[in-house]
Amino acid sequence: MLSDAYRYQSVKNGSMLFDVKASANGPIVNEIRLSANEYLHISIKLYKDLNFLETEWLVGPINVTDNISKEIIVQYNTDLFNNAEFFTDSNGRQMLKRILFQRPTWNFTIIDPIASNYYPVTNRIHINDRRYRFTVLTDRAQGGSSLRNGQIELMLHRRLLKLANTDLLEPINEISQGRGLVVRGKHRLLFSDGNNKKNSIREKKQVIEFHLQPIILISESSQIPLEKWLKLTHKDVSFTNTLPEGIHLLTVEPFGDNKILLRLENYLDVGDKKHDAIDVNLATIFKTITVTSYKETKLAGNMWKTDYKKHHWRHEAAFSTNFNDDYGRYGDLKAAKEGGRGKDVIDEDFVINLRAKEIRSFIVEYEHL
């Protein structure tokens, strides 16, 4: 829980001023490096032909020799009027509406005005006005909020020396080799037309790309000049073809001789496209192997789907069609249909269908080309 007592103490000390330590302008990226003190540094990068601004921050070890607890946050300010509403992801999946000092299903007493408005941010947080959207993508789970209109705030690091006004059982003061911890991370800032469905789809794709960046391997190559290497025909080592927009290849894992565990995810939300259910042909997604057969499992890959007997849970009322639209409307909800996908899915040959936000797992048998 965020300690408001220490937060107020930090605010009293004033915002930190940054000094420009270095800057660089080039054909690919423009960068400015800033430092506030010996433990707080930030780099701001703008890449050519990319639609985001990237900040890379380095915090720690936080100096607490003055015996004052400190919480290091970053605030991104815009001129958007988001009317005290903001959205955070639900464990990396759908976006959930948040409203300052409110809860969707009950009234609560405000004790800590800052802590009560902080929410987990696994991969993104955004604010909207009637037209525009400002989004911050995170490279790891962090606490975040929008405490003022037009503002997004994220917690980067903290060292709390006492337990006052918190529910914690011990201070948050982790130490390694006699020093406080150092953390380093990145944020990507996107500003877009919030009513444009293509922008929404592109943002979902960027979340995946940000968390699953290519791993770069470097080897010694003095035996071949660059000009000759560029003419090679086998530089592409990918074994997959391009997937339809909205489909993410989530898992490819060996599962025995000539078998793989394959998971595919439809990362679109309902309404992103006119037809948000997407067909995928398993026979054409690989370049170097030929799929001979497949059988669907449950999500974990530990049970055939045909052997699974669904448990029907009892619940007090129908589930809402759209949680965000129905936020706070306890007595007037549009109920969602029972049964999830409705009728059983009928896959034709090697063509499978994935609806919005659906993940399907398969054991695939293959032969090498």
Side-chain angles (χ1 to χ4, degrees):
M1 177 179 289
L2 187 65
S3 169
D4 291 313
Y6 298 132
R7 176 63 171 279
Y8 294 143
Q9 193 171 25
S10 176
V11 170
K12 289 179 182 179
N13 293 334
S15 300
M16 296 181 181
L17 299 177
F18 284 86
D19 295 324
V20 178
K21 294 298 183 182
S23 63
N25 297 324
I28 297 176
V29 61
N30 295 333
E31 179 181 6
I32 299 176
R33 297 177 183 176
L34 309 169
S35 293
N37 52 37
E38 73 278 6
Y39 64 82
L40 182 54
H41 314 275
I42 191 167
S43 168
I44 303 172
K45 300 177 182 178
L46 180 61
Y47 293 90
K48 182 181 179 181
D49 298 330
L50 295 181
N51 67 330
F52 58 80
L53 185 73
E54 185 174 272
T55 63
E56 185 171 0
W57 40 269
L58 179 67
V59 184
I62 298 175
N63 189 341
V64 290
T65 56
D66 54 6
N67 204 34
I68 296 178
S69 298
K70 297 178 178 67
E71 293 173 328
I72 308 301
I73 63 167
V74 62
Q75 293 177 342
Y76 299 109
N77 293 283
T78 73
D79 58 0
L80 299 185
F81 182 77
N82 55 300
N83 196 29
E85 295 182 359
F86 59 102
F87 296 78
T88 64
D89 65 274
S90 175
N91 200 26
R93 301 288 286 169
Q94 288 103 323
M95 301 298 288
L96 296 180
K97 178 190 288 188
R98 314 295 189 181
I99 302 179
L100 287 180
F101 306 112
Q102 290 190 32
R103 294 295 185 270
T105 57
W106 80 93
N107 295 321
F108 78 110
T109 302
I110 300 172
I111 299 176
D112 293 331
I114 295 177
S116 62
N117 288 299
Y118 250 68
Y119 293 90
V121 179
T122 303
N123 55 33
R124 61 180 161 146
I125 177 174
H126 75 244
I127 56 176
N128 299 327
D129 63 7
R130 292 186 176 181
R131 179 177 178 182
Y132 295 106
R133 171 183 295 174
F134 174 58
T135 304
V136 179
L137 308 185
T138 64
D139 67 345
R140 83 279 311 278
Q142 296 175 279
S145 185
S146 176
L147 299 175
R148 294 181 178 85
N149 280 313
Q151 182 186 91
I152 286 179
E153 173 177 314
L154 289 160
M155 174 73 68
L156 303 183
H157 197 5
R158 59 181 175 175
R159 290 183 73 180
L160 305 183
L161 306 179
K162 300 179 182 179
L163 298 176
N165 298 330
T166 74
D167 294 330
L168 302 173
L169 298 179
E170 60 182 17
I172 301 178
N173 186 25
E174 294 179 88
I175 296 175
S176 176
Q177 298 181 350
R179 306 175 66 201
L181 300 184
V182 178
V183 294
R184 183 174 189 168
K186 294 181 181 180
H187 293 154
R188 285 186 178 174
L189 317 182
L190 298 90
F191 193 81
S192 61
D193 182 349
N195 297 320
N196 188 317
K197 294 294 185 182
K198 290 184 179 179
N199 288 339
S200 178
I201 295 172
R202 188 181 301 114
E203 181 179 300
K204 294 177 176 67
K205 184 178 180 180
Q206 286 180 311
V207 169
I208 298 173
E209 292 175 343
F210 191 31
H211 280 258
L212 299 174
Q213 298 184 42
I215 298 175
I216 300 175
L217 302 177
I218 300 174
S219 63
E220 198 277 333
S221 60
S222 59
Q223 302 302 317
I224 179 172
L226 177 62
E227 294 77 12
K228 186 175 181 180
W229 183 86
L230 291 173
K231 295 178 181 180
L232 295 177
T233 59
H234 58 275
K235 297 193 299 294
D236 182 7
V237 296
S238 171
F239 69 100
T240 59
N241 291 306
T242 301
L243 293 172
E245 183 181 51
I247 296 298
H248 173 214
L249 181 59
L250 194 62
T251 303
V252 177
E253 180 180 319
F255 210 81
D257 294 336
N258 286 15
K259 292 182 182 179
I260 56 173
L261 172 61
L262 175 70
R263 289 192 185 93
L264 294 171
E265 171 192 16
N266 182 344
Y267 58 78
L268 300 182
D269 284 304
V270 174
D272 279 345
K273 288 185 175 182
K274 183 177 181 180
H275 302 290
D276 47 47
I278 302 174
D279 288 333
V280 180
N281 190 338
L282 298 182
T284 63
I285 65 175
F286 297 108
K287 290 181 178 179
T288 58
I289 61 176
T290 299
V291 174
T292 58
S293 66
Y294 69 94
K295 188 173 181 179
E296 186 168 7
T297 71
K298 296 303 292 177
L299 183 61
N302 61 342
M303 177 187 296
W304 299 120
K305 186 175 180 180
T306 52
D307 295 337
Y308 173 71
K309 295 182 180 179
K310 184 176 180 180
H311 181 82
H312 294 277
W313 297 93
R314 293 187 299 173
H315 47 84
E316 295 180 353
F319 293 103
S320 169
T321 299
N322 190 309
F323 170 85
N324 293 333
D325 291 344
D326 294 332
Y327 192 106
R329 296 170 54 197
Y330 314 130
D332 183 25
L333 299 179
K334 185 177 179 180
K337 295 181 180 180
E338 295 281 353
R341 287 183 61 99
K343 296 181 180 179
D344 292 336
V345 181
I346 300 177
D347 298 320
E348 298 183 7
D349 296 327
F350 288 93
V351 179
I352 64 168
N353 181 268
L354 291 98
R355 295 188 180 182
K357 281 291 179 284
E358 184 175 31
I359 300 174
R360 297 182 67 185
S361 300
F362 304 90
I363 302 299
V364 173
E365 296 191 23
Y366 65 90
E367 294 178 352
H368 291 280
L369 292 177

